[in-house]
Amino acid sequence: MTQFINSEAFFKWYDSVSNDLKYNKDKLLDDVFQQYCQTRESHFDLPAEKTVTGKPESYKYEFEDLGKCGGSALFIYF
């Protein structure tokens, strides 16, 4: 299971740059995790066509995997 720490800071950033005012917070957090899984880079990229500025935006975060003995403990710190 993935734990999202300080997600309100991320949502505040997203609200300030995204042109999507009716987003689902749970889906957005899943998108953050899926983007990390695909790129293995700890930043969330928002393409220009989805921003109010018309420019690509990015939010850096920290990813930590504390899984031991076959268990999974994933943390994303915003």
Side-chain angles (χ1 to χ4, degrees):
M1 179 173 205
T2 305
Q3 300 293 319
F4 298 94
I5 311 302
N6 197 24
S7 58
E8 288 306 315
F10 175 70
F11 294 136
K12 185 177 178 179
W13 167 82
Y14 191 84
D15 289 339
S16 73
V17 299
S18 174
N19 61 16
D20 179 9
L21 302 177
K22 297 182 180 180
Y23 64 93
N24 177 297
K25 288 183 176 183
D26 290 332
K27 176 161 182 349
L28 180 58
L29 291 176
D30 185 58
D31 290 347
V32 170
F33 180 66
Q34 293 303 321
Q35 194 175 92
Y36 175 82
C37 290
Q38 292 172 359
T39 66
R40 295 292 189 216
E41 295 180 2
S42 55
H43 55 84
F44 180 76
D45 295 322
L46 197 59
E49 63 271 7
K50 293 185 177 184
T51 68
V52 294
T53 63
K55 298 177 183 177
E57 300 284 350
S58 185
Y59 189 96
K60 291 185 179 188
Y61 57 86
E62 292 183 36
F63 180 86
E64 186 174 26
D65 182 355
L66 296 177
K68 302 278 190 256
C69 301
S72 180
L74 307 173
F75 294 88
I76 291 180
Y77 302 93
F78 294 106

